[in-house]
Amino acid sequence: MVPHLVTALNGPLLELEKTIIDSTPAIERWFRLEWQDHTPPFYCSVDLRNAGFKLAPVDTNLFPGGFNNLSVEMLPLAVQATMAAIEKYCPDAKNLLLVPESHTRNTYYLQNIARLIKILRQTGLDVRIGSLSEDIKEPTPLTLPDGTTLMMEPLKRINNGRRVGVDDFNPCTILLNNDLSSGTPEILRNVYEQSLFPPLHAGWTVRRKSNHFAAYDDVAKRFSKMLGIDPWLLNPFFSKCSHVNFSEHEGEECLAASVHSVLTKIRRKYKQYGIKEKPFVIVKADAGTYGMGIMTVTDASEVKDLNRKQRNKMSVGKEGLPVRDVIIQEGVHSFERVDEAVAEPVVYMIDRYVVGGFYRVNEKRDINENLNAPGAHFVPLAFAQQHTIPDRSAEPGTAAPNRFYMYGVVARLALLAASIELERTDPDMQG
């Protein structure tokens, strides 16, 4: 399933695809050497945007919640990659505790947990679910639409408080599928005897998108230098503003200046490449997820002229937390279509391997808007085995394997940036 591009791959991206396909051995060696210096996160998903003239990541999630959207054909790859990750961290692992988000009524999310457990069990692990939800006070079965039952159990300290587990279950590994938006729970602090993935500082209590894209900036420049290409083709410009309060009109000068600066840089690039599209930026919370606190801006004056509804929308993120820091990111149009609706690829990785992906499709949104919003649905990517092997003989812009290989390369650049970001922000490495 390859959606058509409204604008065929044109100009620089056609050249980019040809360069990437021709340079596959050099690219794979480059990644191999990078992974000798950096440890990839346990898992990761990356939202990409394909503008026909540019292909760039716009978001990197370290607690992916859509494993249920991957095609069944990709599961063997996911199991293999998970085995590699487990062997690296805890080779004799027998028990794994999965800590999910607390929203137990979202059946799509629970199907993601069920799929994740299926993958983990195939690697030879006993898996139990330890919930942080205050509603879960005893083992509580939740039945999914397909008849699967998930047993949620209250998370607790065991072994005289030295370890985390559930009743009669002492795991060596704890896997978080909870992005810690509402803060780091006390029960997960000071866990020294078990492996905890991702680390606590990967949660939104600490993590900032601006740190991630600063790391991505470095990665994209090094990668592009190796290939001899313009890093902008893979990299969105960005800026950040702190101490913003949309309700109180605070920080508007910084916001307007940053929007103007980023738009000026984009216009310069559009002129260089003869691109006729209208430049835009996305203003979004520097921390958080779920597509909240996001707006599309095409002129600096717009951030000063927000109405009350827009201000209220931008003021809070997930869990109702106030937005104080924002990132101003170059908008990347999405010219991909599934059944005439705007679509963007989301690539899933476990350890350092691409294990599949899907298209986020939204009929209610335009090519310059955030698609992670009401009305979105998901179509599995045909990342079948043969699609990970590019076809060097194909004309640029015509072969599905080549497009998917490109997606995988750019997604892995974001994965590498995430590993560098986590190293830089690790509290144990500070000072």
Side-chain angles (χ1 to χ4, degrees):
M1 140 95 245
V2 190
H4 64 281
L5 275 162
V6 178
T7 69
L9 286 181
N10 58 41
L13 205 56
L14 273 183
E15 283 298 305
L16 179 65
E17 181 181 307
K18 188 174 184 323
T19 302
I20 282 180
I21 302 309
D22 288 347
S23 309
T24 300
I27 288 170
E28 295 306 324
R29 180 174 183 273
W30 185 85
F31 274 120
R32 199 167 68 240
L33 295 176
E34 289 292 330
W35 294 129
Q36 289 176 13
D37 294 333
H38 306 286
T39 303
F42 187 91
Y43 49 17
C44 174
S45 69
V46 177
D47 296 358
L48 299 174
R49 301 276 285 204
N50 187 347
F53 53 83
K54 175 175 184 137
L55 175 66
V58 293
D59 213 3
T60 300
N61 185 357
L62 296 178
F63 302 88
F67 280 94
N68 53 309
N69 296 318
L70 303 185
S71 66
V72 175
E73 293 78 19
M74 299 306 293
L75 290 187
L77 269 184
V79 171
Q80 232 173 345
T82 307
M83 279 184 173
I86 294 291
E87 280 168 14
K88 188 186 299 176
Y89 300 116
C90 197
D92 54 353
K94 179 172 178 275
N95 295 338
L96 179 139
L97 186 71
L98 184 59
V99 180
E101 293 280 357
S102 294
H103 43 59
T104 51
R105 290 183 179 82
N106 183 334
T107 52
Y108 294 112
Y109 176 73
L110 293 176
Q111 285 167 338
N112 155 70
I113 291 297
R115 173 64 67 81
L116 198 45
I117 288 172
K118 185 174 184 178
I119 292 167
L120 291 163
R121 283 186 174 147
Q122 281 297 113
T123 67
L125 291 165
D126 288 331
V127 183
R128 302 259 291 267
I129 306 172
S131 177
L132 288 162
S133 172
E134 292 176 4
D135 299 338
I136 306 291
K137 295 182 169 59
E138 58 185 0
T140 306
L142 300 177
T143 304
L144 304 187
D146 65 358
T148 311
T149 301
L150 292 178
M151 184 63 75
M152 296 280 175
E153 302 180 65
L155 199 62
K156 54 179 63 176
R157 284 281 181 160
I158 56 175
N159 279 38
N160 294 327
R162 295 199 318 275
R163 296 168 75 90
V164 175
V166 293
D167 280 340
D168 304 319
F169 190 73
N170 190 346
C172 101
T173 307
I174 301 162
L175 181 61
L176 291 178
N177 198 250
N178 182 314
D179 64 21
L180 309 180
S181 288
S182 52
T184 305
E186 202 56 45
I187 196 167
L188 291 176
R189 292 183 190 275
N190 306 317
V191 176
Y192 302 120
E193 295 185 6
Q194 294 158 294
S195 302
L196 178 68
F197 307 115
L200 293 178
H201 68 281
W204 286 122
T205 318
V206 179
R207 190 174 179 230
R208 295 293 176 266
K209 292 169 190 172
S210 49
N211 288 336
H212 174 73
F213 282 100
Y216 184 81
D217 204 39
D218 296 342
V219 167
K221 280 175 181 161
R222 285 193 290 115
F223 179 78
S224 300
K225 188 177 180 184
M226 186 257 304
L227 286 187
I229 59 168
D230 180 351
W232 177 75
L233 299 174
L234 304 168
N235 190 9
F237 292 128
F238 80 96
S239 179
K240 73 169 277 194
C241 284
S242 303
H243 313 299
V244 173
N245 186 326
F246 286 96
S247 305
E248 304 293 329
H249 297 259
E250 290 171 13
E252 284 184 349
E253 297 303 323
C254 171
L255 210 48
S258 294
V259 168
H260 177 73
S261 167
V262 174
L263 282 171
T264 301
K265 287 181 182 173
I266 302 169
R267 288 191 190 103
R268 213 170 283 143
K269 281 294 181 185
Y270 279 19
K271 189 176 179 186
Q272 178 185 338
Y273 285 104
I275 293 160
K276 301 284 186 271
E277 304 303 327
K278 185 171 186 179
F280 69 101
V281 298
I282 296 289
V283 177
K284 56 187 174 183
D286 201 14
T289 180
Y290 282 87
M292 298 179 76
I294 295 180
M295 64 180 173
T296 300
V297 177
T298 55
D299 189 87
S301 62
E302 292 172 33
V303 296
K304 292 186 173 183
D305 299 334
L306 299 179
N307 60 36
R308 183 179 293 179
K309 185 180 174 187
Q310 290 168 315
R311 288 182 187 283
N312 290 343
K313 184 184 150 209
M314 289 301 295
S315 293
V316 293
K318 189 184 168 199
E319 309 281 354
L321 295 172
V323 172
R324 291 289 176 264
D325 301 323
V326 295
I327 180 171
I328 299 91
Q329 187 180 58
E330 173 186 348
V332 182
H333 302 82
S334 188
F335 284 119
E336 299 203 66
R337 288 281 195 279
V338 172
D339 298 332
E340 301 313 310
V342 181
E344 65 187 10
V346 182
V347 178
Y348 268 57
M349 289 157 290
I350 296 175
D351 198 64
R352 57 185 178 148
Y353 306 101
V354 173
V355 298
F358 50 84
Y359 282 103
R360 181 183 287 118
V361 185
N362 199 321
E363 293 163 4
K364 299 178 180 176
R365 292 290 170 126
D366 210 342
I367 58 171
N368 64 350
E369 292 185 292
N370 162 46
L371 303 188
N372 189 4
H377 67 277
F378 306 98
V379 178
L381 265 172
F383 255 118
Q385 191 71 42
Q386 69 270 22
H387 285 138
T388 56
I389 308 294
D391 178 1
R392 292 188 65 179
S393 62
E395 282 288 309
T398 61
N402 293 357
R403 177 144 10 136
F404 292 147
Y405 180 71
M406 272 179 76
Y407 290 166
V409 168
V410 178
R412 282 182 290 161
L413 292 175
L415 178 73
L416 177 58
S419 64
I420 293 169
E421 168 203 358
L422 290 177
E423 288 164 16
R424 289 177 179 174
T425 55
D426 186 344
D428 294 336
M429 305 300 284
Q430 306 301 318

